[in-house]
Amino acid sequence: MTNKKVLEALNKQINEEMYSSYLYLSMAAYFDSINLNGFSSWMQVQSQEELNHAMKFYKYINDRDGRVKLEAIKEPPAKWDSTLDAFKAALKHEKYISDCIGNLVDLAVKESDHATQSFLQWFVNEQIEEEATAKNIIDQLDLVGDNKVGLYHIDREMAQRQAAASSGAAE
Ligand code: OFO
């Protein structure tokens, strides 16, 4: 049995993951508004992945005999100063999510909840990847700076990543 304190904390993480999904969908809409369709596609896939994360928590809570309770999702920002600015915001958000996962692990350890520690391990590894991916895109954007041709090429690359991810590689 998973104790009430742990179940409540896991339930709260559903909301964090739903917000992540909402935030990245808002970034997709921003990229559409500035005609960067490859970046938008990439962010739409990212948004879907975050829904998958939320559903992993949903399923785990049910598997442990808990009761999922959904709460309001806060409104994400609608606009960023630039593509680089949006990805810096994405990286900052992923670092925040890594902290949330870390706090959940700490709680599971404190409560001697081995099943939840094991469940959370997937997220610990996922966050390493999430942060590295955002950082990698920031590095590419830093390299091209104000060069529009460079940005156009990255946009085309981002569209390709979307195609690979939607073929089932993403989680
Ligand atoms: Fe972006 O990993 Fe979930 O929130």
Side-chain angles (χ1 to χ4, degrees), residues 18 22-23 29 34 43 51 58 61 76 91 96 102-103 107 109-110 124 138 150-151 153:
M18 295 298 284
Y22 223 33
L23 174 66
I34 55 172
M43 275 298 176
L51 288 181
Y58 179 106
I61 291 167
L91 177 60
Y96 165 73
N103 291 338
L107 179 64
V109 169
K110 190 166 155 258
V124 171
I138 287 169
L151 189 61
H153 282 296

Side-chain angles (χ1 to χ4, degrees), residues 22-161:
Y22 223 33
L23 174 66
Y24 295 141
L25 193 58
S26 186
M27 286 183 181
Y30 163 69
F31 288 131
D32 273 326
S33 79
I34 55 172
N35 299 316
L36 288 174
N37 299 330
F39 279 93
S40 175
S41 294
W42 193 95
M43 275 298 176
Q44 287 177 48
V45 172
Q46 189 70 8
S47 175
Q48 283 294 328
E49 281 189 24
E50 299 298 356
L51 288 181
N52 293 345
H53 294 176
M55 288 310 294
K56 279 181 191 281
F57 282 97
Y58 179 106
K59 186 175 182 306
Y60 181 74
I61 291 167
N62 274 332
D63 286 348
R64 302 304 288 167
D65 248 357
R67 169 74 163 90
V68 168
K69 189 176 170 295
L70 299 179
E71 290 166 7
I73 305 166
K74 76 172 186 247
E75 184 179 326
K79 206 178 170 310
W80 289 267
D81 290 341
S82 64
T83 309
L84 181 60
D85 183 43
F87 271 90
K88 281 184 175 170
L91 177 60
K92 190 172 169 213
H93 180 68
E94 288 303 331
K95 285 183 173 170
Y96 165 73
I97 293 295
S98 297
D99 287 345
C100 292
I101 300 295
N103 291 338
L104 287 172
V105 173
D106 288 347
L107 179 64
V109 169
K110 190 166 155 258
E111 300 294 326
S112 303
D113 184 340
H114 300 134
T116 300
Q117 287 173 48
S118 169
F119 165 72
L120 289 170
Q121 207 50 51
W122 184 91
F123 287 92
V124 171
N125 294 330
E126 173 70 4
Q127 284 313 117
I128 295 170
E129 212 177 287
E130 292 275 64
E131 287 187 33
T133 302
K135 175 81 174 58
N136 181 36
I137 295 165
I138 287 169
D139 288 346
Q140 287 187 49
L141 289 169
D142 262 335
L143 271 179
V144 299
D146 290 336
N147 184 323
K148 285 212 164 67
V149 178
L151 189 61
Y152 170 79
H153 282 296
I154 300 176
D155 188 60
R156 290 191 61 165
E157 235 179 79
M158 295 295 271
Q160 278 172 22
R161 280 190 195 130

